[in-house]
Each structure stands twice: as structure tokens, then as C-alpha cells.
Amino acid sequence: MKSRPAFALILLAALAACGQRSEQELLAAAQQRMDQKDAAGAVIELKNLLQKNPDNAVGRYQLGKALLEGGDLAGAEIELRRAWELGAPRDELAPLLAQVLLSSGQSRKLISEFADQSLADPKATSVLQQHLAMAYLAQGNLVEAKASAVRALQMMPNDEAAVVVSARTKLAGGFADEALAALDELLLSHPKSAKALMLKGEVLLSRGKVDEAEPLLTSVLALEPANYDARALLVRLAFGRQQIDAAAKLVGDMPPGLARKPQGRFLQAQLALAQGDAAKTRELALPLLKLLPNYLPLLRLAAGAHQQLGELADAENLMNQALKLAPDDLGLRRQFAGLQLQRRAPAKALETLRPVLDSGKADVDTLLLAGKAQLMQGNFDAADQAFAAASRLNPEDPKTGAALALTAIARDGMATVGPTRAKADAALAQLRDIAAKDAGSNYDLLVINALTRRGDLPAALAAIDKLAPKMKGSPVPESLRGRVLLVRKDAAGAQAAFEASLKTDPSYLPAALGLVALDVQGGRTEAAVKRLEGFITAQPRSPQARLALADLLAQTRAAPERVTEVLAAGVREEPTEAELRLALIDQHLRLGDAAKAAQAAQEASAALPQNPDLLERLARTQLLAGDKAQSAKTYTQLTVLAPARAQGWLGLAQLRFVDKDFTGAEREVKRALQAEPASVAAQRLLIQLAIHQGRTDEALAALRERQKTNPQEAYALVAEADVEASRQHLDVAIVALRKAVALRDPGDAPPRLFAMLLAAKKRDEALAFEAQWLAAHPQDVPFAAATADVLLARGELEPALSRYEALLKRSPDAVAVINNVAWLRSRTGKPGARELAERGLKISPDYAALRDTYSTVLANEKAFDKALSLQRQLVSDQPEQAAYRLNLAQILIQSGDKTGGKTELENLAKLGNKFPQQAQVQALLKTL
């Protein structure tokens, strides 16, 4: 026991000794660490120094240098700039800060800050000019790059690095022979010059001489095992040959020092993506983005990982950031446009590709993307032109032939007879021929999709038979077979196919969801829930499965707390999954729990600060909490983070709309539409603004124009109905809603039509439509619930009760339905209200709405003591919910305590417009 105090004294003495060292001693210790290649140790020594004297310019400079050596470019930039402010020598500082900016992808900033910088020392000037030359090359400015390279050589004519940079500018200018000559001359005097060997390898690669280049790059690694550039290039060569094992060995053989640096971790992230592990890539890339926020390859890599994981908003944000850094990078534009197409934003994709298309230098892949974007918008002629141009550039490429075939199928495939059907058949035959000749599976998948869309299910199944041998060992073919059989209503066959798919790969979610769909169709909702729960237990890192479970529970009207817990558990298990966090916030918002929604949004935004969707939710919850100023700041922050998305501008527009600043709101909406021309929310708000400012005809004209350009979209028809209903043109509104319900995706048009028919006093038509819709869509529980809600809102209690009772039979444990049935039974004098409410509270004891209903039921049965006790507890638990206090006042009055009821009502009256049920409050006060 005595040894512990002795050890503590020794430790304190050592710490005291550290504290007594002078600044010069700490600087010397840091330099010794750097000489030993111990950058981390040097950082510790220098931070100890700066604790003593934060304004030590040399210490700041050395700390920046050590952080650069350790790979922390962001930290290095901060420290070097502080050293600059403190007056550190420019000749030492400028080249190092320029190197940091160049390494972190900030070539534009480097040029703007240092292009006119003059230094006294020739060597420092040469190094700075070398960095400037590389920055100009990164920006595509060959003239200035050559000028900087010349200045670098003038300052240091025989400097190895200056000669290599000059050779790089020659190579970039298309003078590869001159570049090679300069390098060969340098290698005569410096045969082990890693920089010269490295660039010579790159020159040979640019000429397609891989066999000559690879040994040179390997020799660079032999000379400098920690040389990142050579290792990265060899890894890229291995990826290009599909030699993943060779790439893995190169990454695994990195020296520990390089493996710990951001560059080494970047190579590990690249390897993970190549191995199909997008989740690991994201895990490695996220912390790197904090260190290298402007490193273009990292932004592209992280975007690719998010895209593979289906996190498209995050991917788009990163790609947008990357494109700002390199607007002339054609490959980057193609990648961004491909992502926008995946997000179903063809207009934005075309806008991204526009500079390339207008330049007349578009390649095959760019033209194919443009054609696909036109096809998605229904612009068949424009799609044909793009695909035909691609075909002319490379007539042998099967992709171009397949694209032209798909255009014909999309345009003509729905025809049943005649020349257009013949064209579609010919196109499909062409696509089948391409698929038959191709060893891969992509074209087979296109054939299956085309056949399924046109309803030729036997042919689709035959095409799956041809796909199966090409995808041996994959769960995809059997899962596709299950989907087709599901459409054919062959439940037994579909189940066998999905089970076969899962036998091949138990983690394949689409097959599991197919079985869940079969369970739901068969009325086995609990079995469906258990199936998904079992899948999640076996595959805990499956956010889409958790989201599917939450959605299934919500559809089957399970207790809201159960849905919330599924999402909360998902967030705990996978805190970096943005979709789970978004779903949890939205769940709290649906339940009206603004406080929990705000807390979830704050936690989410802290965990994933670069996610614009989470930032939007944070702004929304701040607005719900009444903090308009903070909400405006957050929406403004969102416009900076994601300027190409409408969300931030829309939020600011809504804030101005609330303040009745319609002119300002319209200005923000137009900015939103500049960011996202196809934004439905922005178009809707612009139309609302036109209506509020009395420009109803203008609003209707905009809606009808949208109906022409988007004939399969329900929104414009529903919005037209709203406008016409506001003008009391109910018959016109009904016509618009009937058109909407006939669409493939009618949105919320069916319940709106039901409500509109009732409002127009066409009750028989409303009931006939309800019966027809439910007969055609027996699984449309949301419609059935909406009709009950409409009738309840109209005060038609008996019809509402009968519909809620039917819903209760389908989902006996759905607490929201239990709540409505119990309340209506009590209100209409039907038996069983108390027993039902008590059963619901056993399922979900904290469900506030049902607690409120239970108090009402008890009061109606004259059990006033218990009713008041429970209602007071509910008001205490939910003090922000004034509606529960109103019910307490009603129960007090009902029990004979008019004084107590009056006190509660007077407190509610003080809330004024903040409580929407003031009319009811005032009416009750008049009775007392």
C-alpha cells in the first residue's frame, strides 16, 4: 500500500520538472522528436510550450509543421496562420502554408493568397513557386503554371524538386517527350530521386506503358516506403485491373506511420469501397472530412459511399461541395448528375451536365446520362437525340443501343396494337439481343424491368431464368422472381422464391420484405412484425430493416410508443444513420411532442453536422418551439451548407409567410426554385402566396400549366381543387380530384374527394366512391382511417364509429384506433367504452390521448373522483397541452364544481390566440 503514495510523488516530481522547462528547452525537445520522426511527440512538447506562452510565434510555426507531418492539415493551417499573425519569418512560413493549402485541395485559396507574394530567400521563393505551379495545374491554368515553374527553376536551377515540377508542366502541356528528357537528365545525376522516378512512372502511364511504369513506382516504394503518391498510384492500377487482393496487400503493407496518417486512412477507405463495404468507407471517411474538408478525392469517395448506402442527401451535399472546388472536372459532373438521377431530379441533372453539353465535348457517358434525364421527364425526342449522339461516338458500345431501345419501350410500350407497339417490340428484341451477348447482368435486369412494366409477366419470368446462371450465388434472381409472382397473385410461388433468395443470402433485405408483404396480404400482421424483428436481430446493422419495421407498425396502427422505440433503438445502435434519426424526429413531430422532436433534432445535428435534412428538422423544431430568430439562423446556415437545395430558402420563405411579409416570402421561394426548379413544396408555396395576395387566376394558370408538363402528378390537381374549393366552386374541385384519384399515385386525393363530396352535399356519391375505392384497394388502411376521421370531424359520430370499429377488427391492438372507438362509444352511449380504454392503457400506459379519453369515459359514467384524479395527473405530465386542461375544466363542471371549472377556463382564456379552442372556452364561460 505504501508504494502508491511513493509513485504519486515521483509522478508529481516528473510533472513539475516538465513544468519547469524553459521555452527553448521545449523547442529543442520538439525538434529532437521531429528528427526522430515522432510528430505526435513533437506536438505534445509544442502544446506544453504554448500553454506557457500562447504568443510564441516560433512555437506556433513548429506546431503547424509537426501537425502537417502528422497529416492534420486543418490543424496545421490554423497554427501556421496564427504564426503568420504573430510575425513568424515569411520566408519559412509562406512555402509551408502553401504546401498545406495544396495538400488539402485548396488550390484556389493558395493562388489568391500567394500569387503576388515576394520572399527574400531564393530557395523559399523557388519552393513557393513550385507549389503555385501545382495549384495552377489543378485549376487548369497551364500558362500560369509554366510561368511559376520557370520562376522556380530560375531561383534554384539545379534543384531536384524544381526540375520535377517543370517536367510536370511540360507533361500537362502535351510535351511528354520533353518531360521525359528532363527527367532522364535529372536521373543521371540523381539516380535515386524518388520524385523523378515517380513522375517518369506517371508519364509512362499517360502513354499506356503500364509494364514500364509499374517497376518505377515499385522502386519509389523501395526507396521511400512511406511515399503515399506511389502507393496510391499502384493501388489505383490494381483497382483498374480488378486485382482487389493486390490492392489490399499494398494497403496492408503501409508503414504504421503512413497508415495512421489521413492519407493512409484514405487508402483504407478506398479499399473498403472497392471491397463493397460502403459502411466501413463511410466510417473511415467521416473523421477524415473534418481534417480534409476540401480534399476532392475524399469528397468523391465519401459521396460514393453515401450513395451506395442510399444516403442520397448526404451524397448530394458532398458532391455539391466537390463541384464548387473543381467546376471543370467532367468526371465529377457526371458522378453528380448520376446521383441527381438516382434522387429522381432529372432537371437538376441536366443543369449539372449543361456546361459539358454546351461545350460540344460531351463523351458517351455524359450523353447517356443526359438522355436518361430527358427520358425521365418524358422528353422522348430529346432523349433519342442524346442517345443517338452517343451511339455515333461509339457505335459498338452496347450501352448506347440499350439506351435507344429503352427510349422506344418507354414511349411506345404501353400501346396494345399498331405501329407504336411494333416499335416497342422491336426495341425490346434489340435489348434482349444485347443482354444475350453480354456476360454481365445489367442488360438482363433492364429486360426484366421492361417486361414487368408492360405487364408481360410470363416473359419476365423467362428472362429471370436466363439471368439466374449469370448471377449464380446471388439472391437477386429469386427475389425478382418472387416480386413477379407477387404481382401474379401466386402467393405460394412467391413465398418459395423469396425463401430461396434468403437461403442464398440471409441478409438480403428485399427478399425478407417480400415475405413481409405476403404476411400482410394474408392478414398476418403480427407474423410480419416478428419476421422483421427476427431479421433485425440477425442483421443488426440494417437501418432499412428498422425503418421498414417502424413503417409496418405505423401502418398497422400499433402503439405509437412502440414505433418510437424501434426508431430510438435504431439510433442507439447506428448513431451515424441519418435516415433513422430523421424518422425518429418525424415520429415525435407526428405525435405532437415538440420537445422530444427538438431534442432528437439537436442530437442528430450534433452527430451529423453536415447533413442538410437534419439541419432542416432542427430549424423546424426551433420554429415549433416559438424561437423564430434561432430558426431563421439555422435555415440561413442550411442555405450555406446546401445552396443547391430548396429546403433552406423555403424555411426562410415560410418564416416570412408567417410574419405576413408576402413580398419577402416570394423572394425566398424564387431562390428555392432557382436551387430546385422541380420543387413541389416551393411551387405550392408560390401558389399559396399568389392566392393570399389575391392573384387566384395566376395561381390556377400555374397549376394547369404544371398539369400539362406533369400529367402523372396528383399535386397540381389536388392544389387546383383546394383553390376552387376556397372559391366555393365545389363541383370544379370534385372534377379535379376525380382526375387525381385515377392516377397511378393519387397521393391524398382519395380521402380529399370523399370529404369534398360530403361538403358538396353529395353523400350518396361519397359513400359510393368510398365503397368502390376500398373494393379496389382493400389494403388501403390510411384511406379507411381518413374517411372515419372526416366523418368524425363533421360530427357524424355513428358513421365514424362504425368505420373505426372495422379498423379495430383489423388491428385490435392499435392504440390510436382504440382511443377513437372508446371515445365514440362513450359519446354515443354504446357499451364497452371503459373496458376498451382500460385494455388500451395496458398496451400503452403513457399514451396521452387515451388517458384523456379514459378520464372522459369515467366522467360520463359519473366516476368523477377517479376521472379528476387521472386528468389532473395528465395535465401535470403534459402541461404544454392546453386541450387536456380544457377537458379537466369540462369534467369539473360536469361533476358540479363550477368554480374549479371556471378557474381552469379563465387560465385558458389568458392564452389568447395561442390556444386554438378559444371559442369553446368562451362559450363554456358564458354558461357559468
Side-chain angles (χ1 to χ4, degrees), residues 127-434:
V127 173
L128 179 59
Q129 290 298 325
Q130 291 168 37
H131 293 325
L132 279 165
M134 297 301 292
Y136 282 123
L137 283 179
Q139 292 297 312
N141 189 339
L142 186 59
V143 173
E144 291 296 339
K146 284 181 176 179
S148 291
V150 168
R151 285 193 287 270
L153 273 173
Q154 286 173 345
M155 293 292 105
M156 298 286 289
N158 299 313
D159 182 72
E160 176 189 339
V163 173
V164 171
V165 169
S166 176
R168 280 195 180 278
T169 61
K170 288 181 172 66
L171 176 63
F175 300 102
D177 289 335
E178 289 185 25
L180 279 174
L183 291 170
D184 286 337
E185 185 178 345
L186 177 62
L187 286 167
L188 286 174
S189 57
H190 298 80
K192 292 187 177 182
S193 168
K195 290 181 180 177
L197 290 167
M198 177 76 197
L199 183 55
K200 185 174 180 180
E202 291 181 46
V203 174
L204 292 170
L205 282 177
S206 71
R207 293 182 157 188
K209 297 181 179 181
V210 178
D211 293 340
E212 294 179 41
E214 196 162 9
L216 292 175
L217 297 174
T218 303
S219 67
V220 172
L221 281 190
L223 290 167
E224 297 180 358
N227 188 302
Y228 166 76
D229 292 326
R231 194 174 295 273
L233 206 49
L234 286 167
V235 167
R236 196 187 313 164
L237 286 174
F239 286 155
R241 298 168 179 157
Q242 300 297 310
Q243 295 174 345
I244 306 301
D245 291 342
K249 187 174 189 312
L250 283 162
V251 173
D253 288 345
M254 282 190 293
L258 177 58
R260 287 192 294 270
K261 286 184 178 181
Q263 296 94 324
R265 282 180 279 154
F266 174 69
L267 284 181
Q268 294 164 8
Q270 277 189 312
L271 177 64
L273 195 63
Q275 291 173 328
D277 192 346
K280 184 178 179 181
T281 304
R282 180 188 58 191
E283 183 182 336
L284 288 163
L286 284 177
L288 288 178
L289 283 167
K290 294 178 182 177
L291 295 172
L292 306 168
N294 298 305
Y295 185 46
L296 188 61
L298 176 60
L299 288 166
R300 296 180 74 160
L301 181 73
H306 282 299
Q307 191 170 358
Q308 284 192 21
L309 292 166
E311 299 162 351
L312 303 185
D314 292 328
E316 184 174 6
N317 182 43
L318 290 167
M319 290 300 298
N320 187 51
Q321 188 178 340
L323 200 58
K324 286 180 184 175
L325 294 170
D328 298 325
D329 188 320
L330 302 187
L332 190 60
R333 284 194 176 276
R334 282 197 299 269
Q335 185 180 349
F336 195 15
L339 170 63
Q340 289 166 324
L341 289 182
Q342 193 175 347
R343 292 206 79 192
R344 299 183 184 278
K348 288 175 68 176
L350 284 170
E351 194 61 31
T352 298
L353 295 172
R354 184 64 53 203
V356 191
L357 297 170
D358 291 345
S359 71
K361 298 177 182 178
D363 60 4
V364 170
D365 290 332
T366 301
L367 289 165
L368 287 172
L369 282 170
K372 187 175 180 182
Q374 297 287 10
L375 188 58
M376 287 175 69
Q377 294 186 106
N379 301 331
F380 298 118
D381 291 340
D384 274 339
Q385 290 173 12
F387 291 146
S391 184
R392 286 193 295 273
L393 286 176
N394 190 355
E396 302 301 319
D397 189 343
K399 287 185 291 188
T400 59
L404 285 165
L406 283 173
T407 309
I409 293 167
R411 179 178 50 213
D412 307 319
M414 298 311 292
T416 55
V417 293
T420 56
R421 178 67 176 198
K423 287 181 184 177
D425 290 341
L428 187 55
Q430 180 188 3
L431 193 58
R432 281 172 157 161
D433 185 56
I434 293 169

Side-chain angles (χ1 to χ4, degrees), residues 585-924:
I585 297 165
D586 290 344
Q587 171 69 0
H588 288 313
L589 289 173
R590 272 192 298 273
L591 296 177
D593 196 331
K596 286 185 179 178
Q599 182 183 348
Q602 287 164 358
E603 291 172 356
S605 191
L608 298 166
Q610 298 298 310
N611 186 290
D613 290 318
L614 292 173
L615 200 61
E616 186 273 336
R617 294 306 195 281
L618 178 60
R620 196 192 306 176
T621 57
Q622 288 165 340
L623 181 57
L624 283 172
D627 192 346
K628 288 199 288 187
Q630 189 57 50
S631 179
K633 285 181 182 178
T634 305
Y635 276 126
T636 302
Q637 184 183 346
L638 181 56
T639 64
V640 175
L641 175 64
R645 299 180 63 175
Q647 287 175 318
W649 309 112
L650 270 177
L652 293 172
Q654 287 161 350
L655 284 168
R656 293 185 181 278
F657 187 88
V658 169
D659 289 338
K660 295 185 170 30
D661 176 8
F662 298 135
T663 303
E666 192 161 338
R667 182 176 62 250
E668 301 294 356
V669 173
K670 286 177 179 176
R671 287 177 178 171
L673 285 168
Q674 285 174 355
E676 288 191 57
S679 169
V680 172
Q683 290 165 354
R684 181 176 294 183
L685 187 51
L686 193 61
I687 291 163
Q688 285 179 328
L689 284 164
I691 294 167
H692 273 79
Q693 294 175 82
R695 306 197 310 269
T696 307
D697 291 338
E698 177 187 327
L700 285 170
L703 285 168
R704 284 165 186 156
E705 182 60 33
R706 185 168 180 84
Q707 289 165 22
K708 292 176 185 175
T709 56
N710 299 273
Q712 291 301 311
E713 180 188 73
Y715 155 69
L717 290 163
V718 171
E720 180 190 349
D722 287 346
V723 174
E724 295 292 8
S726 70
R727 303 200 300 181
Q728 297 302 308
H729 297 169
L730 299 188
D731 287 341
V732 180
I734 288 168
V735 169
L737 287 171
R738 286 197 183 279
K739 290 178 183 176
V741 298
L743 298 176
R744 184 169 59 247
D745 182 8
D748 62 353
R752 282 173 174 267
L753 176 57
F754 177 77
M756 194 71 70
L757 288 166
L758 289 175
K761 298 182 179 178
K762 299 184 177 185
R763 187 177 187 81
D764 291 343
E765 285 187 45
L767 296 177
F769 168 70
E770 178 190 20
Q772 291 163 6
W773 185 264
L774 288 174
H777 307 86
Q779 301 302 319
D780 193 350
V781 175
F783 173 77
T787 58
D789 292 344
V790 167
L791 291 165
L792 179 60
R794 288 172 57 86
E796 299 186 33
L797 304 188
E798 293 281 0
L801 177 57
S802 68
R803 285 159 177 78
Y804 284 126
E805 294 275 16
L807 286 167
L808 189 61
K809 287 180 182 177
R810 295 180 67 148
S811 304
D813 293 336
V815 182
V817 181
I818 288 173
N819 176 60
N820 288 344
V821 173
W823 186 85
L824 283 166
R825 282 181 182 176
S826 179
R827 185 70 185 275
T828 57
K830 299 286 193 304
R834 181 170 181 169
E835 293 78 9
L836 182 60
E838 288 170 348
R839 185 171 73 80
L841 287 171
K842 285 180 182 178
I843 297 170
S844 182
D846 297 326
Y847 189 48
L850 184 54
R851 290 169 65 189
D852 184 57
T853 292
Y854 186 43
S855 297
T856 300
V857 170
L858 290 170
N860 288 343
E861 294 185 0
K862 302 194 183 306
F864 294 118
D865 289 345
K866 187 173 183 179
L868 288 168
S869 173
L870 291 173
Q871 194 66 11
R872 285 191 173 108
Q873 184 61 53
L874 176 59
V875 167
S876 175
D877 293 343
Q878 305 268 340
E880 74 285 355
Q881 295 293 333
Y884 298 149
R885 190 172 293 277
L886 175 59
N887 195 26
L888 174 59
Q890 290 172 315
I891 295 172
L892 284 165
I893 295 168
Q894 193 176 352
S895 71
D897 185 358
K898 294 186 178 182
T899 303
K902 185 176 182 181
T903 301
E904 293 294 343
L905 291 171
E906 286 171 344
N907 288 332
L908 288 170
K910 292 175 185 176
L911 295 175
N913 293 333
K914 291 181 180 178
F915 183 44
Q917 292 170 267
Q918 278 300 338
Q920 191 175 352
V921 170
Q922 296 304 319
L924 283 169

